[in-house]
Amino acid sequence: MRLTAAQIGFIDNYLKNSGINYIDIRYEMVDHIATDLENSIEGYEGTTIQDEDFQSHFKAYMAKNKEQFLTSNKQFAKTARIRAFKLILKNIVRPTSLLLTPLLFIILYKAIAMAGLETVKDILHITYTVLLIAVVLFDKFNYKTETEKFSVVDKMISGCLIAVYVVFVFIRPDKIISDPLWLSVYYTLFIAFITTGAITLLLLSAKYKKQYE
Amino acid sequence: MKNSPLYKGSLTTIIMKLLEENGKMYGYEITQKVKKITKGELNITEGALYPALHKLEAEGLLDVEVAKVDNRMRKYYKLTESGKKETVNRLEELEEFIRNMQTLVNTKTNPDLQF
């Protein structure tokens, strides 16, 4: 017995309405539920099941298993955030990044020495703001709806935004550090993190879209 | 899972062993294979399986391939090169664990060895 496209769509909508928003998590759950139902419902060998019978079996199945799927969903979302952070860190320590980071430090240190601290701060703040706006716009327009986002990509975006917000609004090292050397170190590390995050985000998003198209 | 505290620690090794033998598999297929091999004794739940699969994927030990099958998208898992090497290590570890446990369980206590 095989479920019809409409019945598969019904399972997908049910999971969406139950708060399982990430498409990569939901696809796997839909497949698991559909396969389990196809293998357990008897009396329809070689045919499709009537919608009424399908819904009655589906209802019984979800009454037994829904809580498990919702718990899994929360766990997946948590794992996704950790995966996103690990991916950024993995890319920060790549040979290319390790070669470019000291170069960036030298450029920033020389820029502070030549143009002055306030000018460099202003340029960097404008750059961060533009980058952040780009990330927010990417998030808004890359997906048609909230329920078409990929878990790790979404957690990466929110993770980067949270990191920037915490650093800029709460910690504000540029107000605490006055030594140009340490300020250059701070700006270098921050730019490296945000830039790597943005590049990782674009590559990961492209990879997921290609995988699921 | 039956006797979950005992099986829990071996779940990722079980998954990797199955993927080593079968190439690529999807989640439901893995649960059914385990059930078949153990004649229904070990029943891996969805709540235990998918977090384990995603953890292995995050560690770079599994690769993922998505394909359209029977009106839906299906996610297949397979071992990466580092996953294949790690499978050998974990199986050796598990075999040693089983040997040690068998020794401990089968040994009768010698009063002369009591502390």
Side-chain angles (χ1 to χ4, degrees):
Chain A
M1 189 270 288
R2 287 287 170 261
L3 298 181
T4 63
Q7 288 161 350
I8 301 288
F10 182 87
I11 299 173
D12 190 54
N13 278 329
Y14 181 92
L15 293 178
K16 267 190 230 180
N17 293 334
S18 302
I20 299 169
N21 294 327
Y22 293 126
I23 201 171
D24 49 332
I25 295 170
R26 204 169 65 244
Y27 275 168
E28 201 160 34
M29 285 187 182
V30 167
D31 184 38
H32 189 100
I33 293 166
T35 312
D36 211 357
L37 284 170
E38 282 171 349
N39 288 330
S40 61
I41 297 173
E42 289 170 355
Y44 291 91
E45 285 74 20
T47 61
T48 53
I49 184 172
Q50 295 294 315
D51 282 346
E52 250 180 63
D53 288 340
F54 157 72
Q55 287 192 17
S56 129
H57 279 101
F58 177 69
K59 213 171 163 181
Y61 182 90
M62 290 314 286
K64 195 177 158 196
N65 297 295
K66 186 177 177 177
E67 203 178 312
Q68 203 185 162
F69 283 108
L70 291 179
T71 308
S72 292
N73 183 48
K74 283 185 195 157
Q75 231 169 332
F76 294 152
K78 191 177 159 191
T79 313
R81 192 177 290 287
I82 297 168
R83 270 187 74 184
F85 188 62
K86 278 186 176 177
L87 269 167
I88 296 175
L89 283 181
K90 189 179 163 187
N91 283 335
I92 282 176
V93 300
R94 279 185 187 275
T96 327
S97 304
L98 290 176
L99 279 171
L100 290 174
T101 305
L103 190 63
L104 178 63
F105 167 77
I106 292 167
I107 292 169
L108 280 170
Y109 189 68
K110 292 278 184 201
I112 290 171
M114 283 167 54
L117 190 56
E118 290 307 314
T119 309
V120 171
K121 269 192 204 179
D122 289 341
I123 293 169
L124 286 175
H125 287 178
I126 292 167
T127 313
Y128 292 154
T129 309
V130 168
L131 205 55
L132 275 174
I133 291 170
V135 167
V136 170
L137 289 174
F138 174 86
D139 186 41
K140 284 285 169 212
F141 294 108
N142 197 39
Y143 305 104
K144 289 175 213 156
T145 64
E146 277 294 309
T147 53
E148 288 188 5
K149 293 185 176 185
F150 297 110
S151 54
V152 182
V153 173
D154 190 56
K155 292 303 180 191
M156 196 176 284
I157 291 172
S158 61
C160 285
L161 290 174
I162 290 168
V164 169
Y165 185 76
V166 165
V167 170
F168 272 114
V169 177
F170 288 109
I171 302 174
R172 304 193 67 182
D174 53 321
K175 294 282 178 195
I176 306 165
I177 307 168
S178 55
D179 187 296
L181 178 73
W182 288 108
L183 212 51
S184 304
V185 170
Y186 152 64
Y187 280 130
T188 302
L189 292 174
F190 199 67
I191 292 170
F193 176 78
I194 294 298
T195 313
T196 310
I199 294 169
T200 308
L201 173 67
L202 286 171
L203 292 173
L204 193 65
S205 184
K207 180 187 163 188
Y208 267 99
K209 279 195 163 178
K210 195 179 171 192
Q211 247 179 7
Y212 285 89
E213 74 187 3
Chain B
M1 276 173 68
K2 200 175 177 179
N3 297 329
S4 76
L6 293 171
Y7 285 109
K8 214 173 173 180
S10 314
L11 181 56
T12 50
T13 310
I14 293 168
I15 291 169
M16 291 168 87
K17 165 82 174 150
L18 281 175
L19 289 171
E20 188 193 47
E21 288 173 353
N22 295 280
K24 68 177 185 189
M25 297 175 83
Y26 57 100
Y28 187 82
E29 193 182 6
I30 293 172
T31 62
Q32 295 308 295
K33 193 81 179 185
V34 168
K35 203 172 170 184
K36 190 179 174 186
I37 292 169
T38 63
K39 294 182 173 59
E41 284 296 306
L42 182 51
N43 198 16
I44 303 177
T45 61
E46 180 272 339
L49 174 73
Y50 289 107
L53 283 169
H54 294 170
K55 184 170 180 275
L56 290 169
E57 192 192 342
E59 288 170 0
L61 300 173
L62 298 186
D63 231 341
V64 157
E65 208 178 286
V66 183
K68 188 157 186 187
V69 171
D70 293 333
N71 298 316
R72 69 256 195 185
M73 300 303 275
R74 175 165 288 164
K75 200 169 170 184
Y76 289 91
Y77 295 89
K78 60 183 181 188
L79 289 169
T80 58
E81 282 310 312
S82 55
K84 287 174 188 168
K85 290 177 193 160
E86 182 62 18
T87 304
V88 173
N89 294 337
R90 291 199 190 185
L91 282 172
E92 275 171 11
E93 234 175 75
L94 187 58
E95 279 162 11
E96 200 184 324
F97 172 76
I98 292 167
R99 272 197 300 273
N100 288 333
M101 287 308 294
Q102 273 178 335
T103 307
L104 278 166
V105 165
N106 293 329
T107 303
K108 286 192 181 153
T109 315
N110 184 341
D112 294 337
L113 291 176
Q114 279 177 9
F115 289 98

